[in-house]
Amino acid sequence: MSAVQTYLDQHKDRFLNELLDLLKIPSVSADPKFKEDVFEAANFLKSQMINLGLDAVEICPTDGYPIVYGEKIVDEKLPTVLVYGHYDVQPADPYELWNSPPFEPAVKDGKIYARGACDDKGQVYMHLKAYEIMKETGGLPCNIKLMIEGEEEVGSENLGPFLEANTDKLKADVVLISDTSMISMEHPSITVGLRGLSYVEVEVTGPNIDLHSGVYGGAVANPVNVLSKMIASLHDENNHITIPGFYDDVVELDENQRKAMAATPFNLEDYKQHLDINDVQGEAGYSTIERTSIRPTLDVNGMWGGYIGEGAKTVLPSKAFAKISMRLVPNQNSEKITALFQQHFESLAPPSVKVKVTPHHGGEPVVTPTDSVAYQAAAKAIEHTFGKTPIPQRGGGSIPIVALFESVLGLKTILMGFGDDSDAIHSPNEKFDLYNFYKGIETIPYFYQYYTEMSK
Ligand code: BES
Ligand code: MN
Ligand code: MN
């Protein structure tokens, strides 16, 4: 058994208990009600970093939630890995669908159930414990800088300015992130791309107050009816998005790339069964894997208006609202897409209503190289601990800061995530398998070792 495995075996229960303590802190960045808890999570990580003997540990304030930073510079001449992760989590609503409370982590059947278990506290914690193992079993082979933020789930809007103001402090050779998932433990994979995001909120206003739906219904525009129709028109019968210019910058994959994608292990029947759906649905001419990675999307995330309380109230609502996300692919640009959306959406409105479009956060799509030393090192590390060559796979989610690591710091990113698609991130009963947690901790030290050796 390797020294890494031996140390891990001896300390695995403590590693888990420490993570459970972090998971107990409801660090929901989207909801100001949890403000103190978000700061508490930052403090927790700071103490852990100090306990690990990292240097220059500090909580770096921003206009929003802070960034927790720590480093170990063993030799200026050796490569430097910048590790990024986030300690904030998505809201846990709806609470009633959780089998155990989201911030009272439960370990059941070898899985940790809690909000943030996989996204991203569990995966951040793997990096801290991988560092501990390296430190205790023979040293860190290169330099490490850790940067854990608290606003990823709300768009990382203060992190760009932080990068710009700290280019020296953050100087590194590569960024390492564990905030994605693998195809499965049997089919380990490395994420080689992320989608970008445009997020908007729309408001449709009809009459100036809610009206009696019998007295006025039929003669005055109903904003919920109108909004539904406007939203429905955003896709055509082939599930193409109808916003003019939306696809203009989309990079199409060539036949070889599409063939490689088609070869990734994927079982449509399992997929449907897992989601309890009779069929999938999406853009004509593309597979499910393509629809969730290399094609852009438009989805309503929430929609409301009028009476939604108990029983029936006969009312013609004054207003209707929706939150809409668009996932973007290379080379779409979030500001351009948001502007195209706004223009088109406003043009769709009949004269009987007023429309307001409010842009929220955005982020740019990225593709990461597979021919770099860092990718080869990550692949070799995974081969070592999983016994299989990882499959490069484009991811469908977004991590807005990755594009900025490249544009502001000139750094490429390795997305070496250890989640599983069934981890229910952002959903009730989010989980993280202990197997994945420990496998991640075991794999990360090999990345450092191979990356340092292969950089020579
Ligand atoms: N960790 C996810 C992103 C992710 C998950 C990428 C799975 C690939 C596979 C991240 O925390 C996340 O949820 N990002 C948000 C973006 C944000 C701006 C709210 C997302 O993708 O919705
Ligand atoms: Mn995440
Ligand atoms: Mn997330």
Side-chain angles (χ1 to χ4, degrees), residues 145-162:
K145 295 179 174 176
L146 293 144
M147 165 189 181
I148 316 298
E149 75 146 317
E151 296 187 304
E152 196 277 341
E153 298 292 10
V154 289
S156 301
E157 271 165 324
N158 294 297
L159 195 56
F162 179 81

Side-chain angles (χ1 to χ4, degrees), residues 138-455:
L140 180 70
C142 64
N143 306 313
I144 179 173
K145 295 179 174 176
L146 293 144
M147 165 189 181
I148 316 298
E149 75 146 317
E151 296 187 304
E152 196 277 341
E153 298 292 10
V154 289
S156 301
E157 271 165 324
N158 294 297
L159 195 56
F162 179 81
L163 296 192
E164 274 156 29
N166 291 281
T167 48
D168 257 358
K169 183 190 181 78
L170 302 174
K171 215 169 159 308
D173 296 283
V174 71
V175 177
L176 178 62
I177 302 178
S178 298
D179 192 21
T180 51
S181 42
M182 289 191 168
I183 297 170
S184 67
M185 288 296 102
E186 293 71 48
H187 300 290
S189 57
I190 296 179
T191 301
V192 291
L194 293 166
R195 289 196 282 193
L197 183 68
S198 280
Y199 202 104
V200 295
E201 191 163 331
V202 299
E203 180 186 313
V204 175
T205 306
N208 53 3
I209 46 164
D210 288 1
L211 301 173
H212 189 291
S213 66
V215 177
Y216 291 95
V220 176
N222 179 325
V224 180
N225 295 11
V226 171
L227 177 59
S228 311
K229 211 166 165 178
M230 289 168 76
I231 287 172
S233 80
L234 294 173
H235 292 92
D236 68 13
E237 67 284 3
N238 289 317
N239 276 307
H240 282 290
I241 294 155
T242 55
I243 300 169
F246 187 83
Y247 291 96
D248 279 2
D249 300 324
V250 170
V251 174
E252 297 278 344
L253 264 60
D254 64 35
E255 272 317 301
N256 284 336
Q257 290 171 306
R258 291 189 73 183
K259 262 196 203 137
M261 277 197 113
T264 17
F266 175 75
N267 185 312
L268 189 59
E269 287 313 310
D270 291 351
Y271 186 83
K272 290 194 284 194
Q273 199 187 355
H274 179 69
L275 300 175
D276 196 12
I277 51 174
N278 292 325
D279 204 358
V280 291
Q281 191 228 249
E283 192 183 358
Y286 294 93
S287 69
T288 297
I289 294 187
E290 290 174 332
R291 289 168 180 170
T292 56
S293 61
I294 57 152
R295 298 301 295 168
T297 62
L298 184 153
D299 276 295
V300 176
N301 293 240
M303 195 171 163
W304 68 102
Y307 182 71
I308 52 168
E310 285 292 315
K313 180 188 179 196
T314 48
V315 67
L316 192 161
S318 160
K319 282 179 186 292
F321 305 85
K323 291 179 193 279
I324 296 174
S325 69
M326 288 162 279
R327 297 283 168 174
L328 312 179
V329 300
N331 287 322
Q332 289 177 299
N333 170 274
S334 65
E335 275 175 33
K336 185 173 167 189
I337 292 295
T338 300
L340 289 178
F341 175 90
Q342 179 150 13
Q343 217 173 14
H344 179 64
F345 206 73
E346 285 168 359
S347 80
L348 287 178
S352 50
V353 299
K354 297 182 200 73
V355 169
K356 195 167 104 192
V357 176
T358 309
H360 279 265
H361 48 258
E364 306 314 321
V366 289
V367 172
T368 60
T370 52
D371 57 0
S372 64
V373 168
Y375 183 89
Q376 300 306 328
K380 199 171 165 190
I382 289 170
E383 270 162 32
H384 185 95
T385 52
F386 287 76
K388 280 181 190 158
T389 304
I391 301 164
Q393 190 206 27
R394 297 265 293 263
S398 310
I399 306 177
I401 202 60
V402 176
L404 295 185
F405 281 133
E406 183 152 4
S407 61
V408 179
L409 301 179
L411 296 178
K412 300 280 187 196
T413 294
I414 298 295
L415 295 160
M416 193 168 72
F418 295 90
D420 186 281
D421 280 342
S422 66
D423 284 343
I425 61 173
H426 297 202
S427 302
N429 303 309
E430 176 179 350
K431 60 117 171 116
F432 194 33
D433 280 52
L434 287 172
Y435 182 87
N436 299 43
F437 177 58
Y438 293 130
K439 207 70 176 163
I441 297 173
E442 189 192 339
T443 305
I444 293 164
Y446 291 102
F447 170 78
Y448 286 94
Q449 186 193 320
Y450 296 139
Y451 181 59
T452 309
E453 285 170 14
M454 293 161 83
S455 295

